[in-house]
Every structure is written in structure tokens, then in C-alpha cells.
């Protein structure tokens, strides 16, 4: 199963990709996570990427393509993968198509995760990660019990550097301008399915599974 999860920041791509990865035993490939790892490692490249990411802008196409082609050549991606946050531009989508053609393993489906703008904003501004358990939480949507469990464990609710209100506005603009055109790109390839990505994580997951079995 080779799929792309498409959707605005905050649509839940990462959350759903992790669930699907656990069930289908294929890797979640998140360019955002890989770039954050490079930033955390403090490499020269990471330092350059950091300012671009903190501003909510896109890292150059050739950089992410390099990361993706290396990653998809790993043995654990042989049986399939879930792309999360890539492609984000038409150029990246064309490059991916070429890469997969060369590998003889074309994409099966691009799943568009559709969420109302107001909900996206709350998901992004409220998003926190527990510094101790690593659990992804949201100050608007998680229960008080879940939030307390983090602080009781001695943890702090950490906010991603690019989840500030100012950067979020830019990330959503960048999505509209650069990534939304991919909806038509995959439609024209006959590969697009759309799911409603509002509701609980499990509700969305059930919709995702049924869209993949159609
Ligand atoms: P994400 O975790 O997917 O929201 O990505 C976080 C940030 O990493 C984005 O705002 C971009 O700066 C960068 N990034 C992630 N994936 C890509 C991509 N496919 N193309 C360009 N930049 C990316």
C-alpha cells in the first residue's frame, strides 16, 4: 500500500499516519519529522532549514526530494509507505511520480483529509506535546485528565516552534497557495479520495480505512 496523506496543517495527517503504520506495518514517512530531526541534530543543513521552518515557509523542493528518495529506498518501505507532509508542491508531486515510476512502484491513493478552517486553527494553536510521555495533546480538545496526566508525571506541555499564531497564519497561506493545487493533480490521475477529517481520531481512522478499501 503506497499512499499520500494530503491536507492542511492540523488536518491530522501525522496522527492518522501513525495509526495506519501500526496496523498495516508500513512506515510513516514524514518530511516534517525528518527535517525536525536534522534541526535537533544541529547539522549545518538543519540550522539552515530551521529558520525556514520556524517562519512556516517551505524548504526547497530539491532538498525534500533528496530526503524522500533516500528514505523510500530503505528496505522497510519495500512493501509500502504512508507519505505525510510530502508532496507539498506540484513540482514535488511530479518528482515523486517520476521516482516511483523508476522504482516500478506507482502510488495507489492520495487521501485528502478535509477539515473546516476554524477547527484547523484550534487544532494548531492548541496543539501540545508532553515533554515526558511524548503524548500529543490539545488544550481545547484533550480531557483535563489527559492534560493532568502529563503534568502529574512531571512533564510540561510543549508547543512546536511553528505552532505560534503568527506562523500558523503563514503555514495555512502556504498550504493554500502551494499544496491545494495537488488536489486537482491527483484528481486528474484518478487517484484522489476525500474523507471528512473532523470528529474523533477513531472516527476519522474508520473513514480512512474504508476509503482505502474502496
Ligand atoms: P509538518 O510537520 O509536515 O507540518 O512540516 C513542518 C515544516 O517542515 C513545514 O512548515 C516546512 O517548513 C517543512 N516541510 C515539511 N515537509 C515539507 C515539504 N514536503 N516541502 C517543503 N517543506 C517541508
Amino acid at each position: 500500500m503506497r499512499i499520500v496523506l494530503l491536507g492542511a496543517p492540523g488536518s491530522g495527517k501525522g496522527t492518522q499516519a501513525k495509526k495506519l503504520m501500526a496496523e498495516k506495518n508500513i512506515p510513516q514517512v514524514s518530511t516534517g519529522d525528518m527535517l525536525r530531526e536534522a534541526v535537533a541534530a544541529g547539522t549545518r543543513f538543519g540550522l539552515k532549514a530551521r529558520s525556514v521552518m520556524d517562519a512556516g515557509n517551505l524548504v526547497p523542493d530539491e532538498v525534500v526530494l533528496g530526503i524522500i528518495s533516500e528514505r523510500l529506498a530503505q528496505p522497510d518501505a519495500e512493501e509500502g509507505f504512508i507519505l505525510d507532509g510530502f508532496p507539498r508542491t506540484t513540482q514535488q508531486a511530479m518528482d515523486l511520480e517520476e521516482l516511483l515510476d523508476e522504482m516500478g512502484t506507482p502510488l495507489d491513493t492520495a487521501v485528502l483529509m478535509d477539515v473546516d478552517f476554524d477547527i484547523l486553527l484550534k487544532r494548531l494553536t492548541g496543539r501540545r506535546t508532553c515533554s515526558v510521555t511524548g503524548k500529543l495533546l490539545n488544550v481545547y480538545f484533550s480531557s483535563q485528565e489527559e492534560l493532568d496526566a502529563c503534568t502529574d508525571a512531571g512533564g510540561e506541555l510543549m508547543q512546536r516552534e511553528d505552532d505560534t499564531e503568527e506562523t500558523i497564519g503563514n503555514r495555512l497561506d502556504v498550504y493554500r497557495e502551494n499544496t491545494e493545487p495537488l488536489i486537482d493533480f491527483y484528481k486528474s490521475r484518478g487517484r484522489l479520495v476525500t474523507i471528512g477529517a473532523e470528529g474523533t481520531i477513531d472516527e476519522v481512522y474508520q473513514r480512512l480505512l474504508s476509503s482505502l478499501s474502496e
Side-chain angles (χ1 to χ4, degrees):
M1 178 186 280
R2 289 176 294 276
I3 69 167
V4 163
L5 292 184
L6 262 186
S11 57
K13 300 185 297 293
T15 303
Q16 296 298 329
K18 284 192 183 70
K19 281 180 82 74
L20 200 58
M21 165 170 80
E23 181 167 330
K24 303 282 181 192
N25 217 8
I26 49 174
Q28 167 203 18
V29 175
S30 157
T31 39
D33 284 350
M34 290 189 279
L35 288 165
R36 276 186 288 278
E37 278 163 24
V39 170
T43 60
R44 231 171 43 161
F45 157 70
L47 290 177
K48 264 214 276 191
R50 182 178 186 158
S51 54
V52 177
M53 292 170 72
D54 282 354
N57 293 321
L58 296 180
V59 171
D61 288 336
E62 60 275 16
V63 172
V64 274
L65 181 69
I67 297 179
I68 279 287
S69 31
E70 264 183 38
R71 182 63 188 88
L72 296 188
Q74 300 296 312
D76 67 337
E78 248 171 48
E79 298 301 317
F81 48 76
I82 307 150
L83 289 177
D84 156 14
F86 178 92
R88 256 177 159 95
T89 65
T90 305
Q91 185 62 50
Q92 291 179 16
M94 291 192 303
D95 289 342
L96 174 67
E97 196 169 53
E98 201 180 308
L99 177 70
L100 294 180
D101 277 350
E102 278 166 16
M103 293 167 73
T105 54
L107 196 72
D108 295 311
T109 313
V111 183
L112 172 64
M113 300 185 48
D114 194 28
V115 180
D116 218 52
F117 187 75
D118 293 349
I119 295 185
L120 283 180
L121 274 186
K122 277 189 148 178
R123 283 193 183 170
L124 290 166
T125 52
R127 178 158 68 180
R128 301 288 186 277
T129 307
C130 178
S131 61
V132 167
T133 62
K135 196 173 157 74
L136 208 56
L137 298 159
N138 189 295
V139 293
Y140 299 115
F141 301 120
S142 302
S143 67
Q144 195 57 46
E145 260 179 359
E146 283 177 302
L147 296 169
D148 288 347
C150 173
T151 32
D152 290 350
E156 262 182 83
L157 297 172
M158 311 284 289
Q159 194 169 23
R160 245 171 70 166
E161 299 277 352
D162 60 353
D163 273 347
T164 58
E165 285 203 27
E166 199 188 340
T167 307
I168 286 168
N170 189 41
R171 286 164 66 206
L172 292 171
D173 287 346
V174 166
Y175 172 76
R176 274 203 207 102
E177 197 171 314
N178 297 280
T179 313
E180 245 176 24
L182 296 189
I183 297 172
D184 283 337
F185 178 93
Y186 285 116
K187 226 184 245 171
S188 74
R189 268 46 178 186
R191 290 275 174 262
L192 188 81
V193 296
T194 303
I195 61 166
E198 291 172 16
T200 65
I201 292 173
D202 286 332
E203 282 164 357
V204 177
Y205 187 59
Q206 288 314 316
R207 284 179 220 138
L208 174 62
L209 286 182
S210 41
S211 78
L212 293 174
S213 62
E214 271 162 20

